[in-house]
Amino acid sequence: MRYLAGTPQVRNWVSTNHHFLASYVGFIGLFQGMNPNCRAALQHVEFEADTWVNAFNVTLQVAKSCRQFAECYGISARDLFFAMRDTMRRLHYAARLMAEENSSPIIRSGQMHGYLPQTITNPVNSGGDMTDAPQLVFEMHVLPTLWGSQYEIVKYDVASCPISFHHPLHWFMAELFQHVQHLTDKRARDFGFASVRDMVFSTFDTRLDRALEASAAAEGSSALPLYAASAADIAAAQPELLRILDYPVRVCVVMAQIRAGLWVRNGYVIRLQSHHYREVSLRENTYDQDVVMIQFFLSIWPDTDHILMTLVDRFGLYDWFSGRPHAS
């Protein structure tokens, strides 16, 4: 793929045929959230499996392909726009599946080896007998700030719920974001949007699809009324976008927790995964892309404090910043 994507003619051909994008995101989506880890809370893991080696061998190649394939969309603003829109929707679909979170083999294996309790009061779900591995559900919760504002953010506890290092759909999305210089506000208006922000916050609005396809096919020559996302549109899209963003944030959190020694009961294997994720051969296509995703959302979010509150909550620092250092 490196040699094919390095040829301008091939890049143009790939970017103008949307079935290539659908096939590619469908392929890398197979590896989304694979090999999740769950923090051992009671006892040390006695037997350390080596399945993570196979997962990282796959990630090494898939992460490189994300960058190479994304290069095909760094030429045309039209192709980049539809690639971003389609990939974001595929990410939304993957997040709604919650395959990473509901990895019941992880929970059952943890109970069998004794490092996860049989009955857990989960901060995301209200506990119960974990023998049947009950499904986690997506939840939001509202956190107030010291200056009177309130923000609704995703509710998830990295220290007690499954976490995966492997999110190729997010890496590919971040690679596309790095070509966003082609999507200026002027180009956004050619597609019927007042700004790039309005383009992002309208991703899940299928009512615009037919008009957008007609306008894009005519390279913006067809007259479209400018779409400016209303406060209601932004409020409706925010939970879904936060749900997508939460996965890169979780990875950054688990990396910090591992370095702080909170995952020490999981053994040396979890430290090796953290090390390899940030080593030179991988980090440019993985960890760095997680940071790019966070930076992009910070740049387009109407109120950046909303993203900041997500980071504070996911790192478990909300009580500390609220003047209750021993509350959690």
Side-chain angles (χ1 to χ4, degrees), residues 7 67 153 169 177 213 223-224 267 272 288-289 307 312 324:
T7 307
R67 166 160 294 189
I153 61 177
L169 287 172
F177 285 157
E213 290 172 2
L224 273 179
L272 287 173
D288 288 355
Q289 303 311 316
I307 304 296
V312 169
R324 302 188 299 271

Side-chain angles (χ1 to χ4, degrees), residues 12-328:
N12 285 327
W13 180 54
V14 169
S15 63
T16 54
N17 289 272
H18 295 305
H19 65 276
F20 285 125
L21 177 66
S23 298
Y24 182 73
V25 296
F27 170 68
I28 64 176
L30 297 173
F31 309 103
Q32 184 81 0
M34 66 176 173
N35 192 44
N37 301 280
C38 200
R39 177 174 168 264
L42 299 180
Q43 298 180 12
H44 289 268
V45 176
E46 186 174 356
F47 302 101
E48 299 179 359
D50 60 355
T51 54
W52 70 272
V53 178
N54 298 325
F56 270 83
N57 284 335
V58 171
T59 284
L60 181 64
Q61 304 304 322
V62 171
K64 289 179 181 178
S65 75
C66 290
R67 166 160 294 189
Q68 293 156 1
F69 197 79
E71 288 295 327
C72 298
Y73 298 92
I75 303 172
S76 166
R78 167 186 172 274
D79 298 331
L80 177 62
F81 165 70
F82 278 99
M84 289 173 58
R85 195 174 181 86
D86 292 346
T87 306
M88 190 76 79
R89 288 181 174 179
R90 184 63 178 81
L91 269 170
H92 181 238
Y93 171 75
R96 290 176 66 89
L97 288 178
M98 294 189 71
E100 174 182 330
E101 293 87 339
N102 291 311
S103 43
S104 55
I106 295 291
I107 298 174
R108 282 197 285 265
S109 175
Q111 293 172 333
M112 183 175 66
H113 290 99
Y115 58 85
L116 286 177
Q118 294 295 324
T119 302
I120 298 177
T121 303
N122 194 291
V124 178
N125 294 273
S126 56
D129 185 4
M130 297 293 284
T131 304
D132 296 327
Q135 298 279 304
L136 297 181
V137 297
F138 173 70
E139 291 186 56
M140 303 284 287
H141 66 149
V142 177
L143 292 181
T145 65
L146 295 177
W147 54 91
S149 302
Q150 289 186 335
Y151 296 99
E152 187 178 29
I153 61 177
V154 176
K155 188 175 184 179
Y156 201 80
D157 184 30
V158 174
S160 64
C161 299
I163 301 293
S164 173
F165 285 99
H166 310 280
H167 302 111
L169 287 172
H170 286 83
W171 304 332
F172 179 62
M173 188 78 248
E175 293 288 359
L176 292 177
F177 285 157
Q178 295 190 56
H179 298 295
V180 79
Q181 71 272 10
H182 297 295
L183 289 176
T184 61
D185 285 347
K186 181 179 182 301
R187 290 296 289 156
R189 287 191 288 272
D190 292 339
F191 295 120
F193 295 95
S195 66
V196 174
R197 174 185 294 167
D198 296 312
M199 290 175 61
V200 174
F201 278 92
S202 71
T203 298
F204 311 117
D205 190 348
T206 56
R207 297 171 299 176
L208 302 173
D209 287 355
R210 183 171 297 179
L212 286 174
E213 290 172 2
S215 176
E219 284 293 336
S221 61
S222 58
L224 273 179
L226 282 183
Y227 173 86
S230 65
D233 295 332
I234 291 175
Q238 280 181 345
E240 306 305 329
L241 292 173
L242 285 174
R243 192 172 186 173
I244 291 172
L245 176 64
D246 208 56
Y247 292 91
V249 174
R250 293 176 196 175
V251 174
C252 294
V253 172
V254 76
M255 298 281 285
Q257 289 184 351
I258 291 169
R259 295 187 68 181
L262 296 181
W263 288 65
V264 68
R265 290 189 176 93
N266 289 71
Y268 198 57
V269 164
I270 197 69
R271 292 189 63 186
L272 287 173
Q273 292 182 60
S274 174
H275 167 75
H276 284 287
Y277 193 77
R278 293 188 63 174
E279 72 173 352
V280 176
S281 62
L282 264 181
R283 68 170 296 146
E284 187 178 9
N285 300 317
T286 54
Y287 183 72
D288 288 355
Q289 303 311 316
D290 293 332
V291 176
V292 167
M293 282 285 288
I294 297 171
Q295 290 175 331
F296 180 81
F297 276 84
L298 277 168
S299 69
I300 64 151
W301 213 260
D303 184 357
T304 53
D305 285 346
H306 199 167
I307 304 296
L308 182 60
M309 285 296 292
T310 295
L311 296 173
V312 169
D313 181 59
R314 204 61 66 246
F315 274 92
L317 297 173
Y318 178 76
D319 288 327
W320 191 87
F321 279 112
S322 300
R324 302 188 299 271
H326 305 295
S328 59

